[in-house]
Structure formats: C-alpha cells, structure tokens
Amino acid sequence: MASCPLFLMTPRPPPALVDASRFPPLAGSADLPTSRRPRPGRRHGHRCDSSSSSSAPRDRPPRPRQQRQRSQRPGGRGDVVDPVGFLAKLGVSDRAFAQFLRDRHKALKDRRWELCSRFIDLKEASSGFELLGMHRHRQHRIDFMEWAPGARYCSLVGDFNEWSPTENCAREGHLGHDDFGYWFIILEDKLRDGQEPDEYFFQEYNYVDDYDKGDNGVDAEEIMHRMKEEYWEPGEIRSRKSQLEMVVKLYEQMFGPNGPQTEEELGEIPDAQTRYNEWKSLQKADSSSLSPSYDIIDNGQPFDIFNVVTDRASFEKFQAKKPPLAYWVEMRKGRKAWLEKYVPTISHKDKYRVYFNTPDGALERVPAWATYVLPDTEGKQSYAVHWEPPPEEIYKWRFGRPKVKGSLRIYESHVGISGSEQKVSSFQEFTSKVLPHIKNSGYNAVQLIGVVEHKDYSSVGYKVTNYFAVSSRFGTPDDFKKLVDEAHGLGLVVLLDIVHSYASADELVGLSLFDGSNDCYFHSGKRGHHKYWGTRMFKYDDVDVLHFLLSNLNWWVTEYRIDGFQFHSLSSMLYTHNGFSTFTGAMEEYCNQYVDKDALIYLILANEMLHDLHPDIITIAEDATFYPGLCELTTQGGLGFDYCVNLSVPEMWLWHLENVPEQEWSMSKIMKVLVSRNQNMLSYVENHNQSISGRKSFAEIILNSGKFSIRSVDDGLMEASLLKIIKLITFTTSGGAYLNFMGNEFAHPKRVEFPMSSNDYSFRLANRQWELLDKGFHKHFFDFDKDVMSLDENERIISKGSPSIHHCDDTSMVICFTRGPFLFVFNFNPEVSHQSYLVGVDEAGEYQLILNTDETKYGGRGELKSSQYVRRTCDKRVDGCRNSLELSLPLRSAQVYKLVRILRI
C-alpha cells in the first residue's frame, strides 16, 4: 500500500549461513554500482519479488524447487523467460514484431520494479481493498482511505454527521495526506452517555468472530507479567528504563566502567576484527547466556547486513515461536461490551460521500472504492452506502468452489432481464429460478454481465461507474454472495464479465474528473476518451491506476468468490484507435504506433497476479483483432489468458443468414472460420451482442425472415433444424469452451431491448419468455441443446484435441470431421437428402450413432431407421482415408458417431 509505513512491511528472514570472508574486499561503498546501493527510505531487508527486474541485486539465493515447478498454465511464471518464445511455436518470423515483444518485456520489467518499489509485490499491489475505502478498525473506530492526488482537502459527509464537510476531515500532515495523494480519515465511535473512555488507548474490540466472547477482566500489567513468565525465555526480552540504557551498557562493555570521556583519552581504536575477537571470547566465557547468537562482521562488502553469522539452532528456535497475540486477545472485549459503551460513528446502511476541495471548487463524489451504491429518489445523484451488517446477519458461505472437469460450457446471463415479467429482476429471483434451469440444461458455468454497478441500465452494464460495488438495482452484496454460493452448490463456476477497457464518463457517480483533475484515473486529451462510445480510457502506465484495477480483480475473487473473468472488449484498450480500424492480419498492425504497450503490460500483470494468487482462476479474452499470444504463457511473450473468444464465428453465421441464399453457402469458408483458431478458443453461435438493442436473435431471423422454405408438416420445424446444425457444428469445433446466451438454448424468438428513450422506457423486450420451454419446437430445440451438453459432459467431446477435417464438399454441402473417437457429419443442403453417401475414416470398425438432429424428439422427420444406427466400415478409400462409411444423410441434419469397436485387418 502506498501509504503503509515501512515498519509495517514484513521483513525478509535472514538467509542461510554464509561465510562473509569468501567475498573479495572492496574499497568502499562509494565504488558500488547505483543499482546495488540500498534505496533511500526502504529497509535493506525488503526487496521486490520480481525475478526479472533489471534493478534488483544480482546475488540472490535460488528460489525453492516448489516455486520452480509451478504449474505451467497461462499466466504462470516459470524460471525460463523468453520474450519471443511463442513465435516459434506459432511459426511466426516477423522481425519487427519480435523486437516489439523484446521492448515490451523490458518495459514490463520496469513496470514490475515500479510496482514493487511501492507495494513490495503483486499480492500487495492487488490488495488495496484491505486499506482503501471504509473499514472497521479493532480500536472502536472506522478508517477511511481514498486516492485523490488533485484534491487539496478531503472529508466525509453523510447521514452520520448531517453532511458537514468540516466535521470528519483528513488530518494535516503525512498521517492525513501522503505524497502519493492518498487521504486518510479516522471516524471515532462516540461514547454513550455516562460511559468513561477506555483505560488503554490500544483497547481492542471483537466485532465479528465469536462476537460475544471477550472482556475477561485482565489488565495490561497482568498480561505483560504472564508473557514474561510463560512466553519469553530468560535473555530473550528485557525492559529498559531509558532509551540510552543499551548504549551505555555497550559503551561500558567496550571500554570498561571508567572508560575515556574524550577523544584524547580514547586513543587508538583497535580494528573491527580485533574488537570482534575480544567480544567473541567474552561471549564464550559467558556460556550461561540464553539469548540468540547474532553477530555481523563488517568486511566492507556490499550488503554486509545480509551476511550474518548466526547460530542456526537458536534462530530456528526463535522462528518457531508464534507471536504472543493470544495474550493480547484476552484483553479484547466483545461486541456487546462495545455496543454498551459506544455508539457507532456510522451505522449499517448509512449514506455518505467524499468531499473534496479542489482548485476549481468543492466537489462531492461517490468514493472510488465504495462497495455498495444507491441512487437518490430522482436517480440523478448516488450515494455510497456503508455496508456493515451485524455479525449474526453476515452471509455465511456454505459451499466450496467447484472445479471444471473437461470443457467449459458457459451460460451467459443478465440478471435484470432474466425474469418473464416486465421489470428488473433481482439476484434472489435469479438464484431461485434461473440457476436450477442452468444446471438442468447441462451447463457447468454461468457468466454474468452487468453485475458491476452502472448508472445507465440501457448500457447493459458496460458503462461501469463503481467498480467495487454490485449493482444495487438487483439486490444487496449479501444477495449476490448467496447467488454465487448457490451456483457453487449446484456445481457451477461463476464468471464475471469485467470491463477494464474503459469506464463511464459520468462525473457525479463515476471516476471521471474524480478529484477535479482530468487525468486522475484516465488519460487527458483525446486519448482519454473513446472515439465512438463516449467513455473514458484508463491510464495504464500509472502505478496507482494499476493498483486500483489489480485490486478490483482480486476483490471480486476474494470477497465474492468469483471463479474467473471475461475481459470485455480488449481491442478498445489495446489500440489508441480503440479497435475501429481495418485489420488485414499483418503483423505490423500489432506493433505499430497505435498499439498501447501499457495496456498489454497491464493484462500480463493481471493474469500473473490472478493465476499466482488463485491457481484455479479462469481468464477469457474478448478481442476482435486476435492479438498474437493471447493464450500463451507470459514467460514466453504471451498475455496469459486461458481462453480467447472467437468473435468471427457469430459474425460469419450472421452474414450467411442475412446475405447469402442457403443453397449458396460455402462449406469450406465456414470450416475455415470455425477451425482456423481452434486452440484455447471459446466459440458461440450468438451471445448478447447478436440479440440486443436493434439486432435480432438468430431464431428470429430464421423463423420470421421468410428466406428459408418450409419443408415440414409442422410449421417452423425445418427452420429450427438449420439452427440446430449451426449450433452443433459450432460447439463440436470449439477449442474447449462454448458459450450460450440466456434463452437461446430454446431458440428464444425475440431480441433483447433495454428500456431507453427510443422505446419509451418499455420493458416489453427486456425479459425472457420462459413459458416457451414446454411449447412446440422450442421444447424440441431445448431437448436437443440439453442432450448436446449432456453428451459432452459424459464423453468430453470438445476436450479431445483439435478437429481433423476429412470431407468438405461445397457441391453436396456435406462436412465430415473427426475428434478423437467421434465422427461428425453435417448435411447443410436445404433440398437434397443423400442416400449411401461415402465419407472417409482412418480407423476401421463399427461406428454407433449417438446423436441425430433428425430424430422426432428434436422436431425432425425421423428418416433414419434403428437398423442404421450402427455402421461398419468398408475398405474403400475415400477422402484420402483407408476406410469409409456409407451413410444416409437427411437434408438439414447432422449425425454424431462413436467408434465402439475397432477391426484389425
């Protein structure tokens, strides 16, 4: 923490025994290189936990073997660092881009060192929420901290002080405002009438854990006596009556009780080695001393303080001792005693804001680290809400985090539109109604959009105003905790769509002009504004902005037990043109002057922090430009994501549906888009983008456009069959992850449109028609989607390596590929069914049909007979394969076969 005193930092333990004499003597510390000298204002015992920093001392003990054998998942940091390592893996040989990666790695090392110089390591840099914002202190008070470097005065105003800007303000001097722009305010609890102040200024109260336990009636003198008798051994600790007592005793030990009083009487002082030998002989003579043995020989070496000759036995004995906190805990008083003695200075659910005096006048802002925010009655201004429920009402977690086995099947949801009524739905309604449906549908992850607080509901939650707060329109923080907990109980991992690529430009509620200056969190000038969306762009080269963003990620994982993030719209942050430029795929476009190197460094740091602190975390990149190395290790020059979204797939399907007659669809072009970037690729047919505000869902396009001819007795069933094979081929070609937007699993017929001025703020399309689940082809489509998810759950289909395409014919409109022991055959032809169609396979044997989109239970015509469900290969060479299968392929249908018996010839 920037404002954390240095004495609160945890010092390094002494290194192993080192013989100081093995280092050659130097003339003096003046000859040391600059990078080897102790940094001013920092203890010698502290260092940045950055193995690649160019400014750190070179002579360091090797890292433990456990750290060297960390999991090599994306984001992990191993010993071998190659800034261009992934280029060879991908077969890329662009010299300019390779040089860009090397330069970026150098900048990354500098940024790490800059962060560590302020926050020790990434863990501290991402734990700002432990100090900033409003927190209850053990000593009957509330501490508030905020970052506002452009302000000249800071105070808290709210219900608790009748909105007075002078009553609770930051102190003068460093304790109230440090050099980095952090303001610190203490809100003391008020004594009740008739109560006397605590006898000891350090009196602590137990507010939460065993909150009725405490007040044992012991005093400080008794505690000190017990510690001396029971905890400290003779010689380990002793009280001093004067600060000079130790100095006087050391002087007497060196020169005797009647030592010289002037320099003339002192005479010539023996050298250090002689004095040391004399002192050591006295120590050996006094064998009764039980104090730990530590002594230092000054050989004029750099960092002599690290070369400590120690008694390892006494050191280990001292290290094994636990801090004497148990004794001080006995002095704590319970929550009841606190409530009897004090009135809380700010109560649960009290509203407040932070008040700044700036060069341009007074400002009131919602604190940037506020965890709960409510709008006023008119909805124009917002207030932070102090969320401190009594301990008996604090939500208690019931379930642990589930782990994903195999592929990731994501159900994307928006809480507000998740109900069937024309209103904003709540966390509680989503928990009770939608979560069981997600589990029943066969998905193993739920991805939530629009959860982080935002003022504009029509923005779908992407114009974030308060990054540490859940949206109050859906419920309270505890309501959201229950949602996450219940999802975990159902075996669902919870992913959050996080927006760190831009922020709302709202000045009253959000971060824009937060402290009156234009460059507090964001760039100034044109670069600080998104070219088309009217949002603000973060200043990723600022240490305190990185502190805010990294802490925000860690906050959601720590406080709400989120299992992963999808980083929204990375192209907006990676390029100064915000991604609104023509991309040809040339490598020069990823390393030219429009690339924001600082944004890339932030993403690397974010992935390293998340994967180091939370090894099971899932990170997903949404980048329309497919920046090279998104899912590669950060030690190999990558950005460290687990998955990246293939945004080309939904756009490809939309273009075909709206612009190309069905008979003219090109199978080769479709497969090129589906499998060109298969590894670690999250695919989907449509998400919220394809069915929101002005656009149509695919079901609405197919069923209502009139372009697709009806060839079934039941109106619309054949149109739905096209949507089924589109969904199946997208799912089976994905790179281990698939996403479905809420309602599309049963072909929701309507788009999503949030209330806004253009529709008179109507909720007519801001909901989901769940009643369609049991009606007509919607039920057939849902049964099909459910069976596909169940098939992957049981067979791990999309976790079987990449697809191997055997057959792709534009004339017959048939596609065939294998994935492990599974064979997938698709007939996109809207007019022709193929009888006795030959497809090639490498493995001879029997193939059993395990999924058929033409079955009657899915709304198909059921053309295949039960005798056709098991097929045996023949030795006829087809598609370059040694064996082939003869299949019957109904029009607009798909079939999945599994190799159940291998024939050896």
Side-chain angles (χ1 to χ4, degrees):
M1 180 54 232
S3 301
C4 180
L6 287 175
F7 64 81
L8 293 180
M9 299 179 181
T10 305
R12 288 174 54 195
L17 294 175
V18 177
D19 184 6
S21 61
R22 67 183 178 88
F23 293 96
L26 295 181
S29 61
D31 298 328
L32 294 175
T34 305
S35 61
R36 301 279 301 215
R37 295 175 186 168
R39 292 177 59 84
R42 290 182 56 84
R43 287 188 174 188
H44 297 184
H46 306 302
R47 64 179 177 91
C48 167
D49 187 18
S50 175
S51 60
S52 57
S53 175
S54 60
S55 303
R58 298 176 184 174
D59 296 326
R60 291 176 177 167
R63 293 198 294 173
R65 184 178 179 183
Q66 300 93 297
Q67 293 182 349
R68 295 199 304 267
Q69 294 179 347
R70 280 183 181 173
S71 174
Q72 289 297 305
R73 62 179 297 167
R77 293 174 58 190
D79 280 334
V80 180
V81 177
D82 184 359
V84 296
F86 79 92
L87 295 184
K89 173 183 175 182
L90 301 181
V92 178
S93 59
D94 188 275
R95 181 175 299 178
F97 186 69
Q99 185 59 43
F100 174 83
L101 292 180
R102 294 187 181 95
D103 294 340
R104 189 188 72 188
H105 180 67
K106 293 178 182 178
L108 172 63
K109 292 196 295 182
D110 293 339
R111 190 62 42 80
R112 281 204 196 107
W113 178 250
E114 194 175 359
L115 273 171
C116 294
S117 298
R118 290 272 299 279
F119 305 107
I120 302 179
D121 56 18
L122 277 180
K123 181 179 180 180
E124 293 295 326
S126 60
S127 301
F129 55 85
E130 296 179 355
L131 289 178
L132 280 102
M134 190 168 285
H135 301 277
R136 173 152 292 283
H137 194 276
R138 295 186 299 271
Q139 295 175 6
H140 52 82
R141 75 186 203 213
I142 291 284
D143 291 346
F144 175 82
M145 187 177 289
E146 188 63 82
W147 181 61
R152 299 185 299 191
Y153 173 88
C154 176
S155 67
L156 281 176
V157 296
D159 296 335
F160 61 96
N161 62 6
E162 298 181 353
W163 301 91
S164 170
T166 59
E167 184 172 342
N168 300 102
C169 59
R171 303 178 186 178
E172 296 290 337
H174 189 78
L175 291 178
H177 182 211
D178 68 7
D179 296 337
F180 301 108
Y182 288 86
W183 297 86
F184 183 62
I185 300 175
I186 296 178
L187 306 177
E188 296 280 357
D189 290 337
K190 301 175 183 177
L191 278 171
R192 295 185 183 272
D193 294 339
Q195 294 289 339
E196 296 293 332
D198 285 311
E199 182 179 359
Y200 305 106
F201 73 92
F202 49 79
Q203 179 66 61
E204 295 184 357
Y205 287 86
N206 189 7
Y207 301 101
V208 182
D209 303 323
D210 298 327
Y211 48 90
D212 288 334
K213 180 181 178 181
D215 203 7
N216 291 333
V218 298
D219 57 22
E221 293 182 1
E222 181 181 348
I223 289 292
M224 294 293 292
H225 177 73
R226 285 178 54 192
M227 287 173 59
K228 187 173 183 180
E229 295 294 328
E230 301 173 6
Y231 181 81
W232 297 110
E233 297 183 12
E236 282 188 338
I237 186 171
R238 56 184 301 169
S239 58
R240 297 195 303 267
K241 298 179 181 179
S242 170
Q243 294 182 351
L244 299 177
E245 180 181 353
M246 184 68 69
V247 178
V248 171
K249 289 188 176 182
L250 181 62
Y251 185 82
E252 291 182 355
Q253 194 176 49
M254 292 175 60
F255 303 106
N258 299 317
Q261 302 297 317
T262 64
E263 291 186 8
E264 291 76 9
E265 295 179 7
L266 180 63
E268 184 177 357
I269 301 177
D271 62 275
Q273 187 66 42
T274 302
R275 297 199 309 272
Y276 169 76
N277 292 335
E278 293 177 354
W279 176 82
K280 195 67 176 176
S281 62
L282 293 175
Q283 292 294 109
K284 290 181 179 179
D286 187 11
S287 58
S288 61
S289 176
L290 297 176
S291 60
S293 175
Y294 298 98
D295 49 278
I296 303 170
I297 304 176
D298 185 357
N299 283 343
Q301 299 293 325
F303 299 110
D304 265 344
I305 193 171
F306 293 145
N307 304 328
V308 180
V309 181
T310 67
D311 175 12
R312 177 55 61 179
S314 63
F315 170 73
E316 292 177 353
K317 181 179 179 182
F318 183 80
Q319 287 291 93
K321 296 177 73 69
K322 295 181 179 179
L325 297 178
Y327 293 91
W328 290 107
V329 167
E330 293 188 34
M331 282 198 63
R332 287 197 303 179
K333 296 184 178 181
R335 178 179 174 83
K336 289 184 178 179
W338 170 65
L339 289 175
E340 291 174 0
K341 195 177 189 67
Y342 292 97
V343 177
T345 182
I346 179 170
S347 301
H348 176 49
K349 294 185 179 180
D350 274 0
K351 298 177 181 178
Y352 68 97
R353 295 197 200 106
V354 60
Y355 175 93
F356 296 125
N357 189 349
T358 72
D360 295 327
L363 299 174
E364 284 189 14
R365 293 286 188 259
V366 175
W369 300 73
T371 58
Y372 191 39
V373 178
L374 285 174
D376 63 7
T377 54
E378 299 181 357
K380 296 180 180 179
Q381 177 63 288
S382 293
Y383 307 86
V385 176
H386 179 54
W387 190 257
E388 188 188 9
E392 60 270 17
E393 298 179 10
I394 292 177
Y395 185 80
K396 295 177 176 58
W397 295 93
R398 299 166 54 207
F399 304 104
R401 298 174 185 265
K403 293 186 178 181
V404 176
K405 297 180 181 179
S407 62
L408 196 63
R409 302 182 300 278
I410 303 173
Y411 192 91
E412 186 184 40
S413 306
H414 186 286
V415 174
I417 64 171
S418 63
S420 56
E421 301 179 25
Q422 296 186 20
K423 65 170 188 176
V424 177
S425 295
S426 67
F427 288 134
Q428 293 180 354
E429 293 170 324
F430 187 90
T431 302
S432 61
K433 298 178 181 179
V434 182
L435 284 181
H437 168 74
I438 298 173
K439 178 63 176 179
N440 180 54
S441 301
Y443 293 87
N444 60 7
V446 54
Q447 180 173 301
L448 299 173
I449 62 176
V451 167
V452 187
E453 187 61 85
H454 52 285
K455 180 180 178 181
D456 185 6
Y457 185 53
S458 65
S459 71
V460 199
Y462 287 121
K463 293 184 178 180
V464 176
T465 52
N466 310 100
Y467 278 82
F468 289 83
V470 296
S471 182
S472 59
R473 57 174 57 87
F474 306 140
T476 67
D478 284 356
D479 291 338
F480 184 60
K481 288 181 180 179
K482 183 177 180 181
L483 186 157
V484 176
D485 199 21
E486 293 296 330
H488 288 168
L490 293 172
L492 303 173
V493 298
V494 181
L495 309 178
L496 194 65
D497 201 342
I498 198 76
V499 188
H500 281 186
S501 48
Y502 53 83
S504 171
D506 192 286
E507 298 176 8
L508 295 179
V509 185
L511 299 176
S512 185
L513 301 180
F514 180 72
D515 62 352
S517 63
N518 195 35
D519 59 349
C520 181
Y521 285 93
F522 310 109
H523 288 290
S524 58
K526 291 183 178 180
R527 191 177 176 186
H529 297 266
H530 196 287
K531 296 182 182 296
Y532 296 95
W533 297 345
T535 50
R536 298 302 307 271
M537 308 305 296
F538 282 106
K539 192 166 53 173
Y540 300 104
D541 60 343
D542 188 284
V543 171
D544 295 291
V545 175
L546 291 179
H547 179 45
F548 176 84
L549 295 175
L550 292 173
S551 297
N552 183 239
L553 295 174
N554 197 14
W555 159 261
W556 288 103
V557 181
T558 304
E559 179 69 14
Y560 293 105
R561 301 193 179 184
I562 295 297
D563 301 295
F565 300 96
Q566 174 170 304
F567 286 73
H568 172 74
S569 188
L570 295 188
S571 55
S572 297
M573 62 188 290
L574 295 183
Y575 309 94
T576 55
H577 52 61
N578 304 132
F580 285 84
S581 179
T582 302
F583 276 84
T584 63
M587 297 302 294
E588 186 272 338
E589 296 169 337
Y590 301 114
C591 59
N592 58 24
Q593 70 272 25
Y594 301 110
V595 177
D596 191 340
K597 190 183 299 182
D598 296 316
L600 290 168
I601 291 174
Y602 161 66
L603 293 176
I604 294 173
L605 293 173
N607 274 294
E608 287 186 341
M609 180 273 295
L610 286 172
H611 287 109
D612 283 350
L613 299 185
H614 314 284
D616 295 324
I617 203 76
I618 300 170
T619 58
I620 304 171
E622 184 190 61
D623 177 26
T625 67
F626 296 102
Y627 194 87
L630 281 173
C631 296
E632 302 297 334
L633 294 172
T634 59
T635 55
Q636 300 300 302
L639 300 186
F641 288 96
D642 296 297
Y643 301 95
C644 55
V645 180
N646 192 344
L647 294 171
S648 300
V649 173
E651 295 300 324
M652 179 265 294
W653 289 126
L654 182 63
W655 182 78
H656 275 82
L657 290 173
E658 292 185 338
N659 302 290
V660 183
E662 191 179 1
Q663 296 83 354
E664 299 178 9
W665 284 18
S666 171
M667 302 297 101
S668 57
K669 290 182 179 179
I670 289 174
M671 291 305 293
K672 182 178 180 181
V673 174
L674 288 173
V675 302
S676 60
R677 299 180 177 92
N678 181 265
Q679 189 175 11
N680 300 101
M681 189 64 67
L682 184 151
S683 299
Y684 61 87
V685 177
E686 51 182 331
N687 71 346
H688 64 276
N689 289 330
Q690 275 63 45
S691 59
I692 218 163
S693 301
R695 308 184 75 172
K696 297 180 179 180
S697 69
F698 283 10
E700 188 175 4
I701 294 173
I702 293 176
L703 298 177
N704 300 332
S705 65
K707 290 176 56 179
F708 303 94
S709 57
I710 299 175
R711 295 182 176 274
S712 176
V713 176
D714 294 330
D715 187 21
L717 290 181
M718 288 308 298
E719 284 83 350
S721 67
L722 176 61
L723 191 56
K724 283 186 293 186
I725 61 176
I726 287 176
K727 189 157 193 170
L728 182 60
I729 195 171
T730 303
F731 178 79
T732 53
T733 55
S734 63
Y738 176 80
L739 181 143
N740 171 80
F741 180 60
M742 178 175 55
N744 291 341
E745 72 277 10
F746 60 92
H748 197 281
K750 297 295 183 181
R751 67 185 184 277
V752 177
E753 190 171 279
F754 281 78
M756 60 184 69
S757 58
S758 60
N759 59 18
D760 294 329
Y761 299 98
S762 170
F763 284 84
R764 187 176 64 87
L765 295 176
N767 51 36
R768 299 279 86 180
Q769 300 178 20
W770 297 108
E771 66 275 6
L772 296 177
L773 269 172
D774 299 322
K775 296 181 180 179
F777 79 91
H778 295 287
K779 180 181 185 302
H780 295 315
F781 194 89
F782 174 68
D783 291 340
F784 164 75
D785 187 90
K786 181 178 178 180
D787 285 351
V788 171
M789 298 301 116
S790 177
L791 183 64
D792 183 70
E793 173 70 21
N794 298 326
E795 302 288 353
R796 304 284 194 267
I797 288 180
I798 61 176
S799 304
K800 301 288 186 181
S802 300
S804 176
I805 303 173
H806 292 172
H807 185 87
C808 188
D809 193 323
D810 288 337
T811 303
S812 62
M813 301 184 69
V814 173
I815 297 172
C816 175
F817 61 88
T818 59
R819 199 162 186 174
F822 301 98
L823 173 69
F824 305 89
V825 186
F826 298 83
N827 180 15
F828 277 86
N829 200 309
E831 300 175 343
V832 179
S833 296
H834 301 290
Q835 303 296 330
S836 302
Y837 195 92
L838 289 176
V839 296
V841 292
D842 286 325
E843 197 71 58
E846 289 184 354
Y847 288 78
Q848 182 176 2
L849 183 65
I850 59 176
L851 184 68
N852 176 21
T853 64
D854 193 51
E855 288 191 35
T856 54
K857 65 177 181 179
Y858 302 143
R861 294 186 293 183
E863 294 186 5
L864 289 182
K865 307 302 180 184
S866 59
S867 60
Q868 297 174 295
Y869 275 36
V870 177
R871 311 299 294 174
R872 177 173 289 195
T873 59
C874 59
D875 57 1
K876 185 177 181 179
R877 296 184 66 89
V878 176
D879 301 328
C881 301
R882 294 175 295 176
N883 306 284
S884 60
L885 282 175
E886 187 177 286
L887 305 175
S888 176
L889 306 177
L891 58 88
R892 280 184 182 158
S893 69
Q895 301 166 11
V896 180
Y897 291 87
K898 181 180 180 181
L899 179 63
V900 294
R901 183 182 177 189
I902 299 176
L903 299 180
R904 299 299 183 189
I905 302 176

